[in-house]
């Protein structure tokens, strides 16, 4: 039972991450460069940035994590590390930091953030559909 | 471009039909059965989510976004449609079982008594528990944080209300009137409290420290992370037994 529960829980964690990324993408698409970004988008960016900073500090995957929803479970932060290692994470963090501090989505920051959240969504959906995590395949 | 639009229309029609068939037990429950207030709350939420999803899909894609109508974008269903489908797929196993667990088919008095006791804890004064029948011969709680978050985010996407604060507990369908076995419901309620209070995140640090105290036997790298996570999971099981 624990095994089955664990797999269901992991799948939900990935789906939650994918949905969060989709909401961030939608909010980014609706934001014009002159507008202040929506509070929910800022929360998504803040959670991603804090988690990226925690992950870039090294150490155990879970170290330094707390209330950083949606990146608070093992598989979520592990996947974030994967995404961070596939891009220039220093530049990514700078762009996200800028977006957060100014509250404005410059074209460059918007493109970087869109690429980041699209990659988070793509990987989260991939892992959600992974048959090895499925409770009952077939 | 016409082919692409047809393809999207086909995907949307299939998704609408799937969601309709999932939600139907909540939309038109049999009138002769009575439900606890918690089950009714769950039913009403699913009904509202279904209506909002229908409206959203009927107007898909949203006009207030920059949607790239390039051929590549529509070769497979857009990610958003996949997420809506997966969200409903995750709700699917619990919808009919909640409706089947009417007041005659669940340990209502025991559940009321345990819930009243549970609500004596300060931050859980308003908590209610919905019981659903499971085909497994075991009791289980449905990850309240996880399912609530997924449902909340699905709700945000289709502009529905957030998931109400309720726990979902599964009881074996054959044991709905068994008093002593149903005392296991208290264990599942403890999982709800543990999940809301982020017990596992807290205990994980303790688990890591315990593993590190093993010296040379302490695993390293990913294995250390996986093992400490597993240890924290078992600590949660023990906590819920107390």
């Amino acid at each position: 039972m624990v095994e089955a529960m664990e797999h269901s829980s992991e799948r939900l964690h990935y789906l939650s991450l994918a949905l969060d990324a989709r909401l961030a993408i939608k909010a980014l698409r609706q934001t014009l460069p002159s507008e202040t970004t929506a509070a929910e988008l800022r929360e998504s960016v803040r959670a991603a940035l804090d988690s990226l900073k925690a992950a870039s500090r090294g150490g155990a995957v879970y170290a330094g994590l707390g209330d950083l929803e949606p990146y608070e479970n093992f598989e979520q932060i592990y996947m974030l590390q994967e995404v961070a290692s596939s891009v220039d994470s220093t530049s990514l963090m700078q762009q996200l930091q800028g977006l957060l501090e100014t509250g404005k989505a410059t074209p460059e920051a918007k493109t970087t953030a869109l690429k980041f959240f699209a990659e988070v969504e793509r990987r989260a959906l991939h892992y959600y559909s992974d048959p090895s995590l499925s409770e009952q395949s077939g | 471009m016409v082919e692409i639009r047809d393809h999207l229309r086909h995907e949307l029609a299939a998704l609408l039909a799937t969601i309709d068939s999932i939600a139907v037990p909540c939309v038109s429950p049999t009138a002769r059965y009575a439900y606890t207030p918690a089950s009714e709350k769950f039913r009403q939420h699913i009904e509202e989510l279904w209506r909002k999803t229908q409206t959203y899909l009927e107007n898909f894609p949203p006009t207030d976004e920059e949607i790239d109508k390039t051929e590549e974008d529509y070769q497979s269903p857009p990610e958003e449609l996949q997420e809506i489908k997966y969200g409903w797929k995750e709700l699917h196993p619990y919808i009919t079982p909640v409706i089947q667990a009417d007041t005659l088919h669940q340990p209502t008095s025991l559940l009321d008594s345990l819930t009243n006791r549970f609500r004596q804890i300060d931050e859980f004064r308003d908590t209610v528990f919905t019981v659903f029948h499971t085909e497994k011969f075991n009791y289980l709680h449905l990850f309240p944080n996880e399912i609530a978050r997924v449902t909340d985010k699905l709700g945000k996407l289709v502009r529905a209300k957030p998931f109400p604060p309720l726990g979902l507990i599964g009881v074996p369908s054959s044991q709905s009137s068994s008093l002593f076995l149903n005392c296991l419901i208290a264990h599942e309620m403890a999982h709800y409290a543990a999940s809301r209070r982020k017990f596992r995140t807290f205990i994980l640090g303790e688990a890591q420290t315990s593993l590190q105290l093993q010296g040379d036997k302490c695993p390293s790298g990913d294995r250390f992370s996986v093992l400490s996570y597993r240890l924290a999971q078992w600590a949660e099981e023990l906590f819920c037994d107390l």
Side-chain angles (χ1 to χ4, degrees):
Chain A
M1 178 52 70
V2 168
E3 199 71 20
M5 286 170 67
E6 181 189 324
H7 285 173
S8 299
S9 160
E10 282 176 10
R11 288 165 59 89
L12 285 170
H13 291 157
Y14 285 125
L15 183 56
S16 177
L17 213 50
L19 280 162
D20 194 78
R22 171 52 46 181
L23 287 167
I25 290 169
K26 285 171 79 73
L28 276 164
R29 277 176 163 172
Q30 287 168 339
T31 306
L32 298 171
S34 55
E35 288 177 347
T36 305
T37 50
E40 284 191 354
L41 173 61
R42 285 202 298 278
E43 276 312 300
S44 290
V45 171
R46 186 190 307 280
L49 186 61
D50 288 350
S51 303
L52 281 166
K53 282 178 184 169
S56 69
R57 279 196 292 267
V61 169
Y62 237 82
L65 293 176
D67 289 334
L68 296 176
E69 205 265 328
Y71 309 97
E72 63 183 342
N73 292 289
F74 174 75
E75 54 277 358
Q76 291 170 326
I77 193 70
Y78 195 80
M79 203 201 79
L80 185 73
Q81 280 189 332
E82 275 186 2
V83 174
S85 65
S86 71
V87 295
D88 177 358
S89 57
T90 313
S91 161
L92 169 67
M93 285 195 280
Q94 278 172 357
Q95 294 291 350
L96 294 181
Q97 186 77 50
L99 201 150
L100 204 57
E101 281 170 2
T102 61
K104 307 270 184 207
T106 60
E108 204 181 354
K110 188 173 170 177
T111 306
T112 307
L114 272 171
K115 275 186 187 165
F116 166 72
F117 284 115
E119 185 60 17
V120 169
E121 182 185 44
R122 191 186 67 78
R123 284 184 193 245
L125 283 175
H126 169 74
Y127 286 127
Y128 174 82
S129 310
D130 185 341
S132 71
L133 291 177
S134 171
E135 210 177 323
Q136 292 170 334
S137 57
Chain B
M1 190 54 91
V2 173
E3 269 182 33
I4 299 164
R5 270 201 301 271
D6 283 349
H7 179 64
L8 179 63
R9 242 196 312 261
H10 175 77
E11 292 292 341
L12 284 167
L15 184 53
L16 273 166
T18 306
I19 293 168
D20 283 358
S21 59
I22 293 174
V24 76
C26 281
V27 176
S28 45
T30 314
R32 66 176 180 273
Y33 297 127
Y35 295 98
T36 61
S39 298
E40 185 56 21
K41 199 183 263 192
F42 178 82
R43 191 196 68 73
Q44 284 173 358
H45 180 75
I46 297 297
E47 186 177 357
E48 200 231 13
L49 189 63
W50 168 68
R51 289 191 195 287
K52 294 285 183 182
T53 307
Q54 263 191 331
T55 310
Y56 187 75
L57 291 179
E58 279 162 6
N59 299 299
F60 192 86
T63 49
D64 52 354
E65 286 180 44
E66 296 168 31
I67 305 289
D68 296 326
K69 287 186 174 55
T70 59
E71 193 161 349
E72 289 78 13
D73 283 345
Y74 289 130
Q75 287 213 332
S76 61
E79 285 82 354
E80 192 171 338
L81 294 187
Q82 282 187 46
E83 284 150 18
I84 292 173
K85 184 168 103 183
Y86 292 154
W88 277 97
K89 184 180 148 192
E90 290 300 333
L91 282 169
H92 174 256
Y94 307 102
I95 290 179
T96 300
V98 166
I99 296 303
Q100 282 171 346
D102 56 80
T103 47
L104 292 177
H105 293 93
Q106 62 168 280
T108 312
S109 306
L110 177 67
L111 189 66
D112 282 350
S113 160
L114 289 173
T115 304
N116 286 340
R117 177 87 189 199
F118 187 86
R119 291 168 100 175
Q120 287 174 10
I121 308 170
D122 271 352
E123 68 188 90
F124 299 114
R125 284 176 195 277
D126 299 323
T127 301
V128 286
F129 290 93
T130 300
V131 163
F132 64 92
H133 286 172
T134 163
E135 81 285 6
K136 290 171 181 156
F137 198 75
N138 208 342
Y139 289 71
L140 58 102
H141 89 293
L142 180 59
F143 325 96
N145 276 351
E146 283 81 357
I147 200 75
R149 274 182 197 154
V150 165
T151 315
D152 270 355
K153 286 169 190 173
L154 178 63
K156 263 186 205 165
L157 210 54
V158 301
R159 291 144 199 172
K161 284 181 202 159
F163 193 68
L166 50 84
L168 290 163
I169 293 177
V171 301
S173 51
S174 59
Q175 301 301 313
S176 57
S177 58
S178 164
L179 175 66
F180 290 115
L181 206 52
N182 277 330
C183 287
L184 282 169
I185 288 174
H187 173 95
E188 303 307 330
M189 286 179 166
H191 273 299
Y192 178 86
S195 182
R196 286 278 179 220
R197 287 189 164 179
K198 297 182 184 292
F199 175 85
R200 205 178 291 172
T201 307
F202 161 75
I203 205 72
L204 199 79
E206 301 288 325
Q208 287 179 336
T209 308
S210 302
L211 279 174
Q212 279 160 347
L213 287 173
Q214 299 302 310
D216 292 345
K217 289 181 185 167
C218 178
S220 56
D222 286 354
R223 194 161 165 69
F224 173 75
S225 301
V226 171
L227 276 178
S228 49
Y229 192 67
R230 182 58 61 97
L231 197 56
Q233 282 179 315
W234 279 109
E236 183 178 322
E237 291 296 327
L238 292 175
F239 164 80
C240 296
D241 280 341
L242 295 177

